Amino acid sequence: MFMGEEIHVFGNWFIIHFTENEGMAFGMSLGGNWGKLALSVFRIIAIIGLFWYIFKLIRENASTGYVVCLTLIATGATGNLLDSAFYGLIFNESFYQVATLFPAEGGYASFLHGRVVDMFYFPIIQGYWPSWMPFIGGADYQFFRPVFNIADSSITVGVIALLIFFRNIAFKESKKEEEIIEKSIQE
């Protein structure tokens, strides 16, 4: 597919929409090549730290659900990292053309400087803000405008599940520490 090309899967509410972003949420980027490199290095460190923590939890027989949530986040982050690391090396630009795999002239970016491919688009509700609303009255409104990929979904599901089912884990650990400190003070 070329940049911006769409395939309507279910009417106008589930669309495969080919786009690329610089690797941050909602297409945000950090300034230029150094910003992209800093983002990639940060991701590598965060992923290594997260997998180390997951393996530590597994050795300690932590809750399976908690481990699964963290694994969803870590694997999603890894998927986006791999996409930005290698996509630019093995494809040429996809603006106004279908990108070529392993082009003779090389890819459009160097290692860790590629873009992340996003494709899922769910513009579920579309309309206009009421004219009486200040600043945004009459402007176009669309519920769920972001275009995302499977890795983004994995991260989102992991974070939401953590917030819903395991938000007290951090507080429980700090309460245990407080109880230990109180007992040692009382003795």
Side-chain angles (χ1 to χ4, degrees), residues 2 8 38 43 52 59 63 92-93 107 136 138 145 162 164:
F2 58 85
H8 291 256
R43 280 182 178 161
W52 172 83
R59 283 192 304 270
S63 162
N92 62 358
E93 291 286 352
I136 59 172
R145 188 178 302 263
L162 274 177
I164 292 172

Side-chain angles (χ1 to χ4, degrees), residues 88-100:
L89 287 173
I90 63 174
F91 284 100
N92 62 358
E93 291 286 352
S94 50
F95 292 102
Y96 310 109
Q97 67 179 2
V98 175
T100 305

Side-chain angles (χ1 to χ4, degrees), residues 81-129:
L81 176 68
L82 291 172
D83 208 7
S84 67
F86 296 108
Y87 188 79
L89 287 173
I90 63 174
F91 284 100
N92 62 358
E93 291 286 352
S94 50
F95 292 102
Y96 310 109
Q97 67 179 2
V98 175
T100 305
L101 179 63
F102 300 116
E105 66 277 2
Y108 69 84
S110 60
F111 182 66
L112 295 176
H113 287 84
R115 295 184 288 266
V116 175
V117 175
D118 290 332
M119 76 285 301
F120 298 124
Y121 182 39
F122 293 91
I124 297 170
I125 300 171
Q126 297 180 21
Y128 296 92
W129 289 102

